[in-house]
Amino acid sequence: MRGCGDRLATHVRLRRKSAFAFSMHRSLRTSFLSAAACALLPLLAGAQTATTTQTTADTGEANPGQAELVREVAAATGKNPAELNALLDGAVMKQGIIDAMNRPAESKPWSAYRPIFMNPERIDEGVVFYRQHRALLDQIGKQYGVPPQYIVAIIGVETNYGAITGSYRVLDALVTLGFHYPPRASYFRGELKTLLELPANKLPGPIPDIYGSYAGAEGLAQFMPSSIRDFAVDADGDGHINLNASLPDAFASIANYFRAHGWQAGQPVAVQAEPSTNAAPPPDYENALPQTPLEQFTADGYAPTAHADPALPANLLTLDGAGGPEYWLTFQNFYVITRYNKSPMYALAVTQLADAIMRGVAKAPDAQ
């Protein structure tokens, strides 16, 4: 989804449903040029002007492909092309967004990634969040067949329980990535197109005023525009989906996303495996629906450390843990979490955080 939002930002304790972080402008510094350098400025300026003119003439637009996108959106929605162009012209290409895309948290080893989300503060605040909203979480969990602690864990990983929902304008993020980030331009162009096509009652406000992650995800659930279109739910019944301000909408949308992707109520997510001394070499992990019966991995020397149906299809995941290799048997529900974010480390962090939150909730009575 990926989300994955601004997950490494400084933690802010939750005192409200959501809060926006705003980046600070750095002051510009000026320097004096030597007389010789000054003499070259007219020549350099002329060369730069010529280059800019040629680039503009070649594309006819600041964002290559904008005209075609506007035509598509206008044809699909009937929106005014001039207004769409004005909206896109108001977006700002931000190099910082591209830089962030090139250094995702998921590039870290599991030993470094896990502590970002599995730490006492994140767990404790998840317990508090669950207790504060238990009636609503339990109701939605029952309705969709998704354990409420997984809804809480998704919000905990994505936005630190609503404290960090993102400091980038979603429009800037999607224009930057859709028009100026070749490695994934096709995907983000599609998300930008969807954003422009979404009706107003599926957005928290005017498009220029929506803030989210550097990848263009927004709200407590950090949904991309296509996920808002396909899975977001108006759970509070006000005729308006608002994943920023409506807890019912955010909770139900996450649960609906899981259910729509095949969550199996009552089934396990992942269990750690203990390799035998003569275990077969672990296979390369494939982020696909599990097909191999659990008993086959047991026969290969990777016995689960908790009971699970031997016939249950599973995959074997190997990660670099703090104490050496870790082996995890993952099931369909784990695969469902990777539909939210394709990283298996993300899915395991959500799983472990959910388990820790549930243990914390069970230890003490709910807050009054």
Side-chain angles (χ1 to χ4, degrees):
M1 279 320 269
R2 264 248 56 262
C4 339
D6 302 327
R7 298 183 194 130
L8 298 181
T10 303
H11 174 70
V12 182
R13 292 187 63 84
L14 181 61
R15 290 293 181 269
R16 54 194 180 276
K17 293 179 182 177
S18 63
F20 295 112
F22 294 94
S23 59
M24 301 293 293
H25 291 292
R26 296 179 177 177
S27 60
L28 298 176
R29 297 180 178 178
T30 60
S31 60
F32 292 101
L33 299 173
S34 67
C38 288
L40 293 174
L41 281 177
L43 295 176
L44 294 173
Q48 184 176 4
T49 300
T51 301
T52 302
T53 301
Q54 182 179 5
T55 302
T56 303
D58 289 344
T59 65
E61 52 196 351
N63 298 313
Q66 177 173 317
E68 181 181 2
L69 178 64
V70 166
R71 284 195 295 271
E72 293 173 9
V73 174
T77 65
K79 292 183 177 180
N80 186 303
E83 293 178 359
L84 290 169
N85 273 311
L87 182 63
L88 292 171
D89 289 344
V92 179
M93 196 288 283
K94 293 185 175 292
Q95 182 61 39
I97 290 172
I98 294 175
D99 294 341
M101 285 294 296
N102 290 329
R103 56 170 190 273
E106 287 79 9
S107 63
K108 299 175 180 290
W110 173 240
S111 58
Y113 182 87
R114 182 181 185 274
I116 299 170
F117 307 107
M118 279 299 292
N119 57 67
E121 190 171 20
R122 186 89 59 155
I123 294 168
D124 290 346
E125 293 215 356
V127 172
V128 171
F129 188 89
Y130 189 111
R131 288 173 177 161
Q132 287 176 336
H133 308 294
R134 183 161 195 169
L136 177 61
L137 284 162
D138 287 353
Q139 174 221 319
I140 288 174
K142 183 178 180 180
Q143 178 183 351
Y144 288 91
V146 176
Q149 64 267 29
Y150 280 88
I151 299 173
V152 176
I154 286 287
I155 296 174
V157 168
E158 291 287 349
T159 64
N160 211 354
Y161 311 108
I164 305 171
T165 55
S167 59
Y168 295 90
R169 284 205 315 165
V170 167
L171 181 63
D172 292 342
L174 294 179
V175 165
T176 296
L177 298 171
F179 291 137
H180 305 284
Y181 186 63
R184 298 192 64 194
S186 177
Y187 168 75
F188 286 107
R189 182 193 186 278
E191 293 296 333
L192 175 59
K193 180 174 182 286
T194 300
L195 175 69
L196 298 175
E197 291 177 345
L198 284 174
N201 68 345
K202 287 196 173 185
L203 294 171
I207 288 177
D209 299 335
I210 302 172
Y211 282 76
S213 76
Y214 63 79
E218 60 101 348
L220 276 76
Q222 290 292 278
F223 267 28
M224 296 295 288
S226 61
S227 292
I228 295 173
R229 178 194 64 202
D230 298 336
F231 308 110
V233 176
D234 174 23
D236 59 17
D238 67 353
H240 182 206
I241 294 173
N242 189 330
L243 300 183
N244 282 286
S246 171
L247 289 176
D249 290 0
F251 294 169
S253 295
I254 294 170
N256 187 50
Y257 188 98
F258 276 23
R259 185 175 68 177
H261 284 84
W263 185 272
Q264 297 179 328
Q267 293 298 316
V269 179
V271 296
Q272 194 162 7
E274 186 67 39
S276 64
T277 55
N278 60 346
D284 291 335
Y285 180 77
E286 294 185 8
N287 196 354
L289 272 173
Q291 301 291 335
T292 305
L294 176 60
E295 58 190 356
Q296 181 61 58
F297 290 111
T298 303
D300 290 341
Y302 296 93
T305 57
H307 174 72
D309 182 355
L312 202 61
N315 287 329
L316 181 62
L317 172 66
T318 305
L319 294 173
D320 295 324
E326 293 182 12
Y327 303 95
W328 291 86
L329 293 158
T330 66
F331 306 101
Q332 177 162 326
N333 287 342
F334 187 90
Y335 174 77
V336 169
I337 300 174
T338 65
R339 300 307 87 200
Y340 212 97
N341 180 310
K342 67 180 181 180
S343 167
M345 292 193 300
Y346 172 93
L348 191 57
V350 168
T351 301
Q352 293 188 359
L353 182 59
D355 290 344
I357 289 170
M358 203 62 213
R359 287 193 299 270
V361 169
K363 283 181 180 179
D366 292 348
Q368 297 299 317

